[in-house]
Amino acid sequence: MTVAAIMTLDKIHAGIPLYQQIANHLILHIRRGTLPKGYRLPGSRQLAKQLGVQRGTVNAAYDELVIQGWVKAMPRSGFFVRNNLPDVSPQHWRQEDTEALPYPEKTAYGLQQMDHLQLPLIKGLPGLAFNDGFPDLRLAPVQALGSHLRSIMLKPVYRRLLSYGNVEGNDALRVELSQYLNETRGLNTTPAHIFITRGSQMGIFLLAQTILRPGDNVIVGQTNYHVANASFVHAGANLFRVPVDKQGIDVDAIAQLCAQQPVRAVYVTSHHHYPTTVTLGADRRINLLALARKYGFAIIEDDYHYDFHYDSNPILPLASADTDGHVAYIGSFSKCIAPAFRVGYIVAPPNLLQVMGRLRRIIDRQGDSLLEQAVADLLKEGEIQRHLKKVRKIYQDRRDAFCRRLHDVLGDAVVFDPPAGGLAVWAGFDPAISLPRVAARASKSGLYVSDGTVYNPPGINLNSARLGFAALAPEEMKQAIQILKESLQP
Amino acid sequence: MTVAAIMTLDKIHAGIPLYQQIANHLILHIRRGTLPKGYRLPGSRQLAKQLGVQRGTVNAAYDELVIQGWVKAMPRSGFFVRNNLPDVSPQHWRQEDTEALPYPEKTAYGLQQMDHLQLPLIKGLPGLAFNDGFPDLRLAPVQALGSHLRSIMLKPVYRRLLSYGNVEGNDALRVELSQYLNETRGLNTTPAHIFITRGSQMGIFLLAQTILRPGDNVIVGQTNYHVANASFVHAGANLFRVPVDKQGIDVDAIAQLCAQQPVRAVYVTSHHHYPTTVTLGADRRINLLALARKYGFAIIEDDYHYDFHYDSNPILPLASADTDGHVAYIGSFSKCIAPAFRVGYIVAPPNLLQVMGRLRRIIDRQGDSLLEQAVADLLKEGEIQRHLKKVRKIYQDRRDAFCRRLHDVLGDAVVFDPPAGGLAVWAGFDPAISLPRVAARASKSGLYVSDGTVYNPPGINLNSARLGFAALAPEEMKQAIQILKESLQP
């Protein structure tokens, strides 16, 4: 082994001078014992030639090693690894393998395995996909957002935003959002009721961690957002599942459960239920609030798709009628702007926001103040509102076209109700058709369809999947439905 | 009360049409019972006049209410709130106060109080401040970062980054970072060893949650980063504190503790100890690794200031000599770019990164893929490296000027060792001088100085504070030291 062989130099990255790279490599190998005490380094001319660098570069590296005390210069003999290393007692390393070792693949200590959090993760959907209900990225308002963001980064008036900020989020966004929610969702908030999160997922996590205690009972829909379920289980809660029908979660079943045992919280995706897309009926909302008052439980209202309702105006959230602090309301801009921009929010009484802030302080310190400022500006200018109006129309047209075509092409093989809102159709497949097999076949033809397992409650096969339509332009939609049809063939 | 009085219209926000705003207000008050069943709405001409809008706008709102079924149009009589409300049984609301109620201030259910997380939070430092060791925001490389970020947001080739991504972080950044760390810190990683976090705080949180179990013992410095302490306590750990001297954390004391009881993890801020700024000596690093091998504990190495070392080359991290998976290494770009850009990382064996990913999935789903891509580009182009070289020189000069002047002006009132690196001086005040009183006085003169309490271990008054110098230009530095001097007077 030559000394040159233990080095990989990067001659392009100008940021780290070559001599420094060489010195770093040599120090590493002296510390590891690959270059033992008393070892004579190759002459600078020879090493320079082997590495393809100037001789002066190697000399500078050697000088650095001498200055730092790793190497001794012996006139007319060369450079030798010192016996007394600076600040280092090398005996220990000598017992190691003498080759540069790769970084370890396994911890030497035990870990919390987080088995309850083994959630399926879809990485990189193909171009053609029935996704879970995502917006069309081609429509994302990135021009406006990008311009605002850049100008916020550069303007001295916003420089303070480059430093540490509030755990509760950017103040300007809290002001704008409070007003926006009051106008659009019948809330009666002030900025003190608003907490900015990284998407609705962080909203669920923070609420689960602050509201729930180990052993608490939480009620969810029989089929429910599996990541919310996992978040509650992670907080130590027991899940109770109640049926979901065409009016949403069954509130009478909730009443029965409450009569039998203490219930800490009920999780609802009121507009629209995930995964089935049904809207929670107004009478059920009223009854659920009455139950919350009677039994003192928290309602975690995840209104992630409120912005996308087509057939009539959306029903105001439960939070709009909560006068005594039973509802914690979660919303998000992820579906309105794009999933990558993790800006969501919680609306809740300030005493809850305060303890959430304590927890958030140790999770990620704060949100992205600059991005939040940009969203505030877009709200103030009505840009978000205009964007929503525009895409709502597009998605409504796509929903109509999709439902028509799905029915025309697939007939009775797939059962669904056209959703009144949201970005996906909840499609039940004929029991004779195995959805996992369909998904596997479609995948071979370049189309992603969920195999449906993620929506299944324990022990029940719904043989159903969410078919996201919003990201499919007309031609793509045709093609996707065609592939789906072919994948149904036995 | 007139109907007009219950509405606040926003005539500027073009996004929500005025008629919609009016309709929303009316629906809210019908639901709340403020406008009871059978109530006759004012004539459209009258309401339009009171609201200062066109009569057609009010008519459109009324039409909307009719379509949605809230209101009935009676020819020649006007519009009346219906007896049978759409989907709503209003009896319940009628028992409520009939005025629009403000959003509740308190939850009706109990909360986890998170008392152990009541950390002091400094909001909005004044212009003149001895901060905790933050970079100068005026030097932040926002031009380069802003351009990259914007172009990443707009380029079709990056559009996939607008969607959901990997929990472990942007792949391009993991590739660049692996190479960068191998070159600068003597690591031998592949991208599979890199996990991108939201700043080093999320690194600490994720490691605490995945490595620690309730009841585990964790060793920290007697004075230590208080947020790390809180993170470990939050994970259920018991803290054991060992002395810190001029060579860093006392490894012999760690050995003694390990001989007495099981130890799960040791937390070190190797380069440089927080808050005292001392560098962990090379011999101690070796001994600490040997102890980890002997006792099987994890070393959580938080190297948040590695980039800022002035007097000699920084000592390679413990992680660089970890051949069998004892070290989990935390780094961050927050100090190099700016605190608001929450991009940090963990280097650790892949089995640890995998369980961290499971947890991260339910916390915030993923990091900021676009920002991470921009940082990857800056690394690739050597921009980060050039920036560090530039600011390192500036901060070194500021450190020199600051230490000289602090000594010249304050004399023996303040004891400190010039730090070999980092962005703050650890200053011990003469016991005769009460630091909280100094801080209060300085505050009146517009200068922030920590009162030092945050650095105190339980029951010990160190009467010391970190005096961040890096963000102070020469004139500001003079002024700040002058105010500090005047604040010392009895």
Side-chain angles (χ1 to χ4, degrees):
Chain A
M1 187 203 68
T2 69
V3 168
I6 59 175
M7 297 189 209
T8 331
L9 299 186
D10 186 336
K11 296 173 188 172
I12 296 159
H13 282 215
I16 309 144
L18 274 177
Y19 85 91
Q20 188 72 70
Q21 294 185 39
I22 297 171
N24 286 348
H25 276 291
L26 292 171
I27 291 169
L28 173 69
H29 288 280
I30 292 171
R31 293 183 64 208
R32 287 207 172 130
T34 333
L35 303 176
K37 281 182 199 178
Y39 183 89
R40 183 174 175 276
L41 294 180
S44 58
R45 187 194 312 261
Q46 180 199 343
L47 182 56
K49 199 174 158 194
Q50 288 169 343
L51 293 174
V53 301
Q54 300 289 322
R55 189 179 175 191
T57 306
V58 173
N59 280 331
Y62 283 4
D63 286 348
E64 185 66 30
L65 294 180
V66 171
I67 291 166
Q68 288 190 44
W70 297 96
V71 154
K72 204 157 99 177
M74 306 276 277
R76 257 168 289 171
S77 308
F79 293 86
F80 295 83
V81 177
R82 287 179 70 119
N83 283 320
N84 298 313
L85 291 180
D87 239 5
V88 171
S89 136
Q91 297 90 312
H92 174 68
W93 310 114
R94 300 294 297 277
Q95 298 164 0
E96 304 296 312
D97 287 341
T98 51
E99 285 303 308
L101 288 170
Y103 201 82
E105 289 301 308
K106 276 210 169 298
T107 51
Y109 44 87
L111 298 172
Q112 302 251 33
Q113 284 302 316
M114 308 273 169
D115 286 337
H116 58 289
L117 297 180
Q118 294 198 52
L119 303 172
L121 250 192
I122 299 147
K123 287 187 188 182
L125 291 177
L128 213 55
F130 289 119
N131 63 38
D132 197 52
F134 306 154
D136 191 335
L137 301 175
R138 292 166 292 201
L139 302 175
V142 283
Q143 277 284 0
L145 186 65
S147 306
H148 274 84
L149 195 52
R150 182 148 176 272
S151 98
I152 289 164
M153 284 172 68
L154 298 183
K155 276 190 193 158
V157 66
Y158 287 123
R159 192 174 288 136
R160 64 188 162 73
L161 294 180
L162 296 177
S163 190
Y164 294 102
N166 296 338
V167 286
E168 307 87 3
N170 177 301
D171 282 335
L173 181 55
R174 294 170 77 207
V175 168
E176 289 303 322
L177 195 53
S178 167
Q179 196 173 336
Y180 174 75
L181 295 174
N182 292 355
E183 285 161 6
T184 58
R185 307 192 189 192
L187 303 183
N188 197 8
T189 63
T190 69
H193 302 106
I194 314 275
F195 190 105
I196 311 296
T197 61
R198 305 227 189 232
S200 44
Q201 184 52 51
M202 185 181 266
I204 296 172
F205 182 79
L206 289 175
L207 289 173
Q209 293 288 317
T210 47
I211 294 177
L212 305 180
R213 275 155 242 230
D216 275 352
N217 298 326
V218 174
I219 299 179
V220 299
Q222 184 175 52
T223 175
N224 188 43
Y225 183 39
H226 58 286
V227 187
N229 286 350
S231 305
F232 303 142
V233 169
H234 184 69
N238 309 311
L239 294 188
F240 286 80
R241 295 166 186 265
V242 297
V244 175
D245 60 24
K246 308 230 165 181
Q247 291 291 306
I249 197 166
D250 182 342
V251 176
D252 290 340
I254 294 175
Q256 280 172 30
L257 277 173
C258 288
Q260 289 159 11
Q261 62 251 295
V263 168
R264 188 75 172 164
V266 175
Y267 172 78
V268 287
T269 42
S270 39
H271 233 318
H272 314 84
H273 177 260
Y274 183 100
T276 67
T277 79
V278 299
T279 298
L280 185 63
D283 57 333
R284 293 209 180 166
R285 292 175 193 231
I286 289 163
N287 294 340
L288 184 56
L289 265 176
L291 282 181
R293 284 182 189 145
K294 182 168 174 192
Y295 292 106
F297 59 73
I299 299 173
I300 300 176
E301 182 178 26
D302 182 354
D303 217 11
Y304 68 110
H305 264 180
Y306 181 90
D307 289 321
F308 300 102
H309 197 83
Y310 311 118
D311 293 335
S312 61
N313 277 321
I315 300 185
L316 293 178
L318 284 156
S320 74
D322 177 33
T323 49
D324 41 11
H326 282 99
V327 181
Y329 182 78
I330 302 172
S332 171
F333 288 98
S334 300
K335 300 288 188 288
C336 158
I337 302 178
F341 300 100
R342 314 291 304 143
V343 180
Y345 49 89
I346 295 171
V347 182
N351 68 320
L352 173 54
L353 302 192
Q354 194 189 6
V355 296
M356 280 201 316
R358 288 180 191 160
L359 177 58
R360 205 259 168 87
R361 172 70 184 86
I362 67 161
I363 293 177
D364 67 343
R365 178 57 181 83
Q366 64 182 79
D368 186 335
S369 336
L370 301 143
L371 178 61
E372 293 172 11
Q373 180 71 46
V375 174
D377 291 351
L378 293 181
L379 272 176
K380 193 167 195 168
E381 293 169 9
E383 188 67 35
I384 298 265
Q385 295 87 330
R386 278 189 293 277
H387 175 72
L388 274 174
K389 206 167 174 181
K390 179 183 119 185
V391 296
R392 211 182 278 128
K393 179 83 183 70
I394 295 171
Y395 294 156
Q396 176 165 6
D397 291 347
R398 288 185 181 175
R399 178 203 59 173
D400 294 342
F402 184 67
C403 290
R404 231 175 3 246
R405 196 168 184 90
L406 198 62
H407 181 72
D408 289 351
V409 175
L410 299 187
D412 295 338
V414 174
V415 178
F416 64 94
D417 288 324
L423 308 176
V425 162
W426 176 242
F429 287 74
D430 185 315
I433 300 170
S434 154
L435 187 45
R437 279 179 58 196
V438 172
R441 266 196 219 130
S443 172
K444 280 188 196 143
S445 306
L447 170 73
Y448 170 80
V449 191
S450 165
D451 66 8
T453 49
V454 80
Y455 311 113
N456 285 338
I460 298 175
N461 177 20
L462 298 173
N463 211 40
S464 299
R466 281 167 72 87
L467 304 180
F469 56 78
L472 295 171
E475 228 6 84
E476 297 161 341
M477 196 179 277
K478 269 192 190 167
Q479 212 185 328
I481 292 177
Q482 187 54 34
I483 296 178
L484 182 57
K485 181 195 162 105
E486 287 157 13
S487 308
L488 296 184
Q489 310 298 331
Chain B
M1 185 202 71
T2 68
V3 168
I6 59 173
M7 297 189 208
T8 329
L9 299 186
D10 185 336
K11 297 175 187 170
I12 296 160
H13 281 217
I16 308 145
L18 273 177
Y19 86 90
Q20 188 70 69
Q21 293 183 39
I22 296 171
N24 286 348
H25 276 291
L26 292 171
I27 292 170
L28 174 69
H29 287 280
I30 293 170
R31 292 184 65 209
R32 287 208 173 128
T34 331
L35 303 176
K37 280 182 199 177
Y39 183 89
R40 182 173 178 276
L41 293 180
S44 59
R45 188 194 309 264
Q46 180 197 343
L47 183 57
K49 199 172 159 197
Q50 287 170 342
L51 292 173
V53 301
Q54 300 288 323
R55 190 180 173 189
T57 306
V58 173
N59 280 331
Y62 283 4
D63 287 348
E64 185 67 30
L65 294 181
V66 171
I67 291 167
Q68 289 190 42
W70 297 96
V71 155
K72 203 158 99 178
M74 307 277 277
R76 258 169 285 170
S77 308
F79 293 87
F80 295 82
V81 177
R82 289 177 69 119
N83 283 320
N84 297 314
L85 291 180
D87 237 6
V88 172
S89 138
Q91 298 88 311
H92 175 70
W93 310 114
R94 298 293 295 277
Q95 298 164 359
E96 305 294 314
D97 287 340
T98 50
E99 286 301 308
L101 288 170
Y103 202 82
E105 290 300 308
K106 278 210 168 297
T107 51
Y109 44 87
L111 298 171
Q112 302 252 32
Q113 285 301 317
M114 309 272 169
D115 287 336
H116 58 287
L117 296 181
Q118 294 198 50
L119 302 172
L121 251 192
I122 299 148
K123 286 188 188 182
L125 290 177
L128 212 56
F130 289 119
N131 63 38
D132 199 51
F134 305 155
D136 191 334
L137 301 175
R138 293 165 293 202
L139 303 174
V142 282
Q143 277 283 1
L145 185 64
S147 307
H148 275 84
L149 195 51
R150 183 148 176 271
S151 98
I152 290 164
M153 284 171 69
L154 298 182
K155 278 191 191 156
V157 65
Y158 287 122
R159 191 174 288 137
R160 62 187 163 75
L161 294 179
L162 295 176
S163 190
Y164 294 102
N166 295 339
V167 285
E168 308 87 2
N170 178 300
D171 282 336
L173 181 54
R174 294 169 79 207
V175 168
E176 290 302 322
L177 195 53
S178 168
Q179 196 173 336
Y180 174 75
L181 294 174
N182 292 356
E183 284 161 6
T184 59
R185 308 192 187 192
L187 303 183
N188 198 7
T189 64
T190 70
H193 301 106
I194 313 276
F195 189 105
I196 311 296
T197 61
R198 306 235 190 222
S200 42
Q201 184 53 49
M202 184 179 267
I204 296 171
F205 182 79
L206 289 174
L207 289 174
Q209 293 288 317
T210 45
I211 294 177
L212 306 179
R213 277 156 241 230
D216 274 351
N217 299 324
V218 175
I219 298 179
V220 299
Q222 184 174 53
T223 175
N224 189 44
Y225 183 40
H226 58 287
V227 187
N229 286 350
S231 305
F232 302 142
V233 169
H234 183 70
N238 310 310
L239 294 188
F240 285 80
R241 295 166 185 264
V242 297
V244 176
D245 60 25
K246 309 231 163 180
Q247 291 291 305
I249 198 166
D250 182 341
V251 175
D252 290 340
I254 295 175
Q256 279 172 31
L257 278 172
C258 289
Q260 288 158 12
Q261 62 252 295
V263 168
R264 189 77 170 161
V266 174
Y267 172 78
V268 286
T269 42
S270 41
H271 234 317
H272 315 81
H273 177 260
Y274 183 100
T276 67
T277 80
V278 298
T279 299
L280 185 63
D283 57 333
R284 292 210 180 165
R285 293 176 190 230
I286 289 163
N287 293 340
L288 184 56
L289 267 175
L291 282 181
R293 284 181 188 147
K294 182 168 174 190
Y295 292 106
F297 59 74
I299 298 173
I300 300 175
E301 182 178 27
D302 182 354
D303 218 10
Y304 68 110
H305 264 179
Y306 181 90
D307 289 321
F308 300 102
H309 197 84
Y310 311 118
D311 294 336
S312 61
N313 276 319
I315 299 183
L316 293 178
L318 283 155
S320 74
D322 177 33
T323 49
D324 41 11
H326 285 284
V327 180
Y329 182 78
I330 302 172
S332 171
F333 288 99
S334 300
K335 301 287 189 287
C336 157
I337 301 177
F341 300 101
R342 314 291 303 145
V343 180
Y345 48 88
I346 295 172
V347 182
N351 68 318
L352 174 54
L353 303 191
Q354 195 189 6
V355 296
M356 282 202 314
R358 290 181 189 160
L359 178 58
R360 205 257 169 89
R361 173 70 185 83
I362 66 161
I363 294 178
D364 66 344
R365 178 58 182 83
Q366 64 183 81
D368 185 336
S369 337
L370 301 143
L371 178 60
E372 292 171 10
Q373 180 70 46
V375 173
D377 291 352
L378 293 181
L379 271 176
K380 193 166 193 168
E381 293 169 8
E383 189 67 36
I384 298 264
Q385 296 87 330
R386 278 189 294 277
H387 175 72
L388 274 174
K389 205 168 172 181
K390 179 182 118 185
V391 295
R392 209 182 278 127
K393 179 80 182 71
I394 294 171
Y395 295 155
Q396 177 165 7
D397 292 347
R398 288 184 181 175
R399 178 203 60 173
D400 294 341
F402 183 66
C403 290
R404 234 179 358 249
R405 194 164 185 94
L406 198 63
H407 182 72
D408 290 350
V409 175
L410 299 186
D412 294 337
V414 174
V415 180
F416 64 92
D417 287 325
L423 307 175
V425 162
W426 174 243
F429 287 72
D430 186 316
I433 300 169
S434 154
L435 187 46
R437 281 179 58 196
V438 172
R441 269 196 215 129
S443 173
K444 281 188 193 143
S445 305
L447 171 73
Y448 170 81
V449 191
S450 164
D451 67 7
T453 49
V454 80
Y455 310 114
N456 286 337
I460 297 176
N461 178 19
L462 297 174
N463 210 41
S464 299
R466 280 167 71 88
L467 304 180
F469 56 78
L472 296 170
E475 230 4 86
E476 296 161 340
M477 196 179 277
K478 267 191 188 168
Q479 213 186 328
I481 292 177
Q482 186 56 33
I483 296 177
L484 182 58
K485 181 195 161 105
E486 288 157 12
S487 308
L488 295 183
Q489 308 301 329

